[in-house]
């Protein structure tokens, strides 16, 4: 039986990037694949370009084989460096479910075990995996899950996924798609950064349009952070921030001098550039995408959790920070193990605060006059 392989085997984040690039450059898959190999630090071979016409065809490319090897090596290194965390996951699972569980209790079992760990497992990622796994068990008519299978599922997916760094391919230094930086060009009007680099013995240019995004006195950190996420193969976040600050200075001088444009390096026009996206379309798409991403980051920073929002019962948090775990907790969907743990902790907190006869501050038949702050129909007499 052949192994069922998928892009999701390399992590959902890379899978999202692949589909984003092929949707962004749907009219030119060559551009999509070139950008994909650049971002993932892989070689863009001519053979792969003939194959990589869509996301599904990537499974037959050298790029996929290289990324698969790098991903497996990364997970192996994580297992070695995070051995204590993985051993904890196994001990917790075996202690809570020594005989395994029935298939219909699988989701609750995995979520309970994950909640008991010191490492934080994102609830959405855990929910996605358990939903997929429950469907798989149902399709195979599996009635029970052994404790060994529970341990393996918990470690290989939710725990290791939580330990895997975001954009893991940028932290991996084993990629073969080396890039040699040639020139960084800055232009004030319209605001843009031109990055000239050599890759696979060819010279390329990456033009980043910032008109309407970068302002003379505006903040540069959010823009630099976003640029580093999309163009980190070329420049680091710190380098981008330096360029943005310098570009702001050029923009101020351009306003004062009345220049139409100003570039920090005039030799850029002498370089041979590879195939590019149409300039107006590229400028519009880059500016729109970058502006949307920056605004999203700002909204996230301003967003605060509503005061009356219910918190999901988290056993792990209950042991790390009982006050936070008990704050407005919702136990309606909690399983029996979680419910008992929370009830025990609530009882413990109650006994700590209860005042008994003979204790300091104890008052028999204490009465308090309550002054209502607003009118209530419940208090009206007939």
């Amino acid at each position: 039986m052949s192994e069922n392989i998928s892009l999701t085997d390399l992590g959902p984040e890379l899978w999202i990037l692949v589909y984003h690039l092929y949707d962004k450059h749907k009219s030119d898959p060559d551009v999509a694949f070139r950008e994909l190999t650049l971002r993932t630090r892989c070689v863009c071979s001519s053979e792969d370009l003939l194959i990589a016409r869509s996301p599904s065809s990537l499974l037959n490319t050298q790029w996929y084989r290289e990324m698969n090897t790098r991903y497996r090596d990364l997970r192996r290194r994580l297992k070695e460096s995070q051995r204590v965390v993985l051993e904890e996951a196994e001990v917790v699972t075996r202690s809570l479910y020594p005989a395994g569980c029935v298939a219909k209790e699988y989701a609750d079992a995995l979520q309970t075990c994950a909640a008991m760990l010191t490492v934080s497992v994102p609830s959405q990622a855990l929910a996605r995996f358990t939903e997929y796994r429950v469907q798989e068990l149902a399709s195979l008519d599996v009635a029970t899950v052994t404790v060994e299978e529970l341990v393996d599922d918990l470690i290989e997916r939710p725990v290791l996924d939580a330990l895997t760094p975001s954009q893991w391919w940028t932290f991996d230094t084993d990629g073969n798609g080396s890039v040699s930086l040639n020139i960084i060009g800055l232009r004030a009007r319209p605001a843009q950064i031109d990055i000239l680099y050599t890759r696979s013995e060819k010279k390329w240019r990456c033009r980043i349009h910032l008109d309407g995004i970068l302002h003379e006195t505006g903040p540069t950190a959010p823009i630099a952070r976003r640029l580093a996420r999309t163009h980190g193969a070329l420049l680091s976040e710190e380098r981008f921030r330096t360029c943005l600050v310098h570009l702001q200075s050029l923009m101020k001088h351009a306003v004062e001098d009345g220049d139409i444009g100003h570039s920090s390096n005039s030799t850029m026009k002498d370089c041979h550039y590879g195939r590019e996206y149409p300039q107006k379309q590229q400028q519009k798409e880059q500016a729109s995408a970058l502006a949307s991403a920056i605004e999203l980051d700002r909204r996230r920073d301003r967003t605060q959790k509503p005061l009356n929002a219910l918190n999901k019962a988290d056993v792990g948090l209950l042991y790390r920070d009982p006050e936070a775990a008990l704050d407005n907790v919702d136990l309606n969907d909690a399983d029996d193990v979680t419910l008992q743990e929370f009830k025990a902790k609530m009882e413990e907190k109650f006994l700590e605060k209860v005042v008994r006869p003979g204790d300091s501050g104890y008052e028999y038949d204490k009465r308090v006059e309550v002054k209502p702050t607003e009118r209530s129909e419940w208090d009206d007499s007939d």
Side-chain angles (χ1 to χ4, degrees):
M1 182 176 178
S2 61
E3 184 182 4
N4 185 22
I5 58 176
S6 168
L7 283 174
T8 56
D9 295 338
L10 302 179
E13 200 173 13
L14 183 59
W15 178 82
I16 292 172
L17 173 63
V18 167
Y19 278 86
H20 163 71
L21 292 178
Y22 273 87
D23 181 67
K24 175 184 175 183
H25 303 294
K26 59 180 65 176
S27 61
D28 197 339
D30 284 355
V31 175
F33 185 69
R34 283 198 182 98
E35 185 172 346
L36 176 63
T37 56
L38 175 63
R39 291 200 190 188
T40 54
R41 280 77 163 169
C42 287
V43 173
C44 180
S45 66
S46 56
E47 293 81 5
D48 277 358
L49 278 173
L50 296 175
I51 300 173
R53 313 309 296 172
S54 66
S56 59
S57 62
L58 292 176
L59 299 176
N60 301 317
T61 62
Q62 178 61 34
W63 171 86
Y64 176 80
R65 291 188 287 273
E66 179 183 339
M67 292 298 291
N68 193 42
T69 300
R70 289 165 59 185
Y71 190 64
R72 291 178 183 275
D73 288 343
L74 173 66
R75 306 275 280 201
R76 176 182 52 78
R77 293 195 297 269
L78 283 174
K79 288 182 179 180
E80 295 173 355
S81 62
Q82 302 293 330
R83 187 172 300 171
V84 175
V85 175
L86 303 186
E87 289 176 353
E88 178 197 35
E90 181 174 359
V91 170
V92 167
T93 305
R94 291 186 181 277
S95 62
L96 291 177
Y97 300 94
C101 66
V102 296
K104 64 180 181 180
E105 296 177 351
Y106 175 85
D108 288 339
L110 209 65
Q111 290 172 357
T112 300
C113 293
M116 298 289 288
L117 304 180
T118 54
V119 63
S120 178
V121 178
S123 57
Q124 290 185 345
L126 182 61
R128 282 196 301 267
F129 172 71
T130 53
E131 181 181 2
Y132 159 78
R133 189 74 170 103
V134 167
Q135 292 176 354
E136 184 181 44
L137 293 173
S139 65
L140 298 174
D141 292 329
V142 175
T144 59
V145 180
T146 65
V147 65
E148 286 76 16
E149 290 173 323
L150 274 177
V151 171
D152 187 65
D153 284 353
L154 179 63
I155 290 177
E156 290 296 331
R157 288 302 302 270
V159 174
L160 277 179
D161 286 352
L163 295 173
T164 302
S166 178
Q167 293 193 341
W168 60 266
W169 53 90
T170 63
F171 294 88
D172 179 35
T173 58
D174 296 334
N176 297 319
S178 59
V179 172
S180 176
L181 187 64
N182 298 334
I183 298 173
I184 302 175
L186 306 178
R187 188 176 182 85
R189 290 187 180 179
Q192 67 185 45
I193 299 176
D194 278 3
I195 304 174
L196 277 72
Y197 60 96
T198 301
R199 184 178 181 223
S200 301
E201 300 181 351
K202 292 183 180 179
K203 292 182 179 180
W204 301 86
R205 176 179 64 183
C206 175
R207 175 171 291 171
I208 304 174
H209 299 277
L210 299 169
D211 197 31
I213 298 173
L214 179 68
H215 303 282
E216 291 88 341
T217 58
T220 58
I223 303 176
R225 182 166 58 250
R226 189 65 192 181
L227 289 175
R229 287 184 62 85
T230 55
H231 299 80
L234 300 175
L235 295 178
S236 65
E237 180 179 341
E238 182 180 357
R239 191 77 178 273
F240 267 121
R241 191 165 185 177
T242 301
C243 291
L244 292 172
V245 171
H246 190 188
L247 182 54
Q248 284 181 323
S249 177
L250 293 177
M251 293 167 68
K252 292 177 183 177
H253 288 306
V255 172
E256 294 171 358
D257 300 340
D259 292 339
I260 296 178
H262 191 92
S263 174
S264 65
N265 198 315
S266 60
T267 60
M268 290 191 303
K269 62 184 179 182
D270 299 328
C271 294
H272 172 71
Y273 303 133
R275 187 177 183 181
E276 292 185 50
Y277 221 44
Q279 182 174 349
K280 291 185 178 179
Q281 184 177 356
Q282 183 188 41
Q283 180 176 359
K284 182 179 179 181
E285 290 183 358
Q286 284 187 344
S288 175
L290 189 56
S292 300
I294 293 171
E295 180 61 25
L296 180 60
D297 288 342
R298 289 173 179 169
R299 289 181 181 178
R300 286 173 178 169
D301 293 339
R302 293 195 301 263
T303 302
Q304 294 183 351
K305 190 175 182 179
L307 295 177
N308 60 348
L310 294 176
N311 294 319
K312 187 175 181 179
D314 186 340
V315 179
L317 182 62
L318 183 66
Y319 289 105
R320 297 192 300 271
D321 189 351
E323 296 295 337
L326 293 173
D327 182 29
N328 209 20
V329 64
D330 181 11
L331 297 173
N332 289 324
D333 297 328
D335 58 73
D336 292 340
V337 175
T338 302
L339 188 61
Q340 293 303 321
E341 293 291 336
F342 268 83
K343 283 186 175 181
K345 183 60 69 172
M346 289 177 178
E347 179 71 13
E348 178 184 326
K349 290 294 182 182
F350 172 77
L351 293 177
E352 288 177 359
K353 297 180 180 179
V354 68
V355 181
R356 298 180 176 85
D359 292 344
S360 175
Y362 174 78
E363 181 179 345
Y364 176 73
D365 194 20
K366 182 177 181 179
R367 301 190 181 191
V368 179
E369 182 181 356
V370 179
K371 295 182 179 181
T373 58
E374 60 183 23
R375 180 181 176 82
S376 174
E377 298 296 334
W378 291 91
D379 297 331
D380 291 345
S381 58
D382 295 335

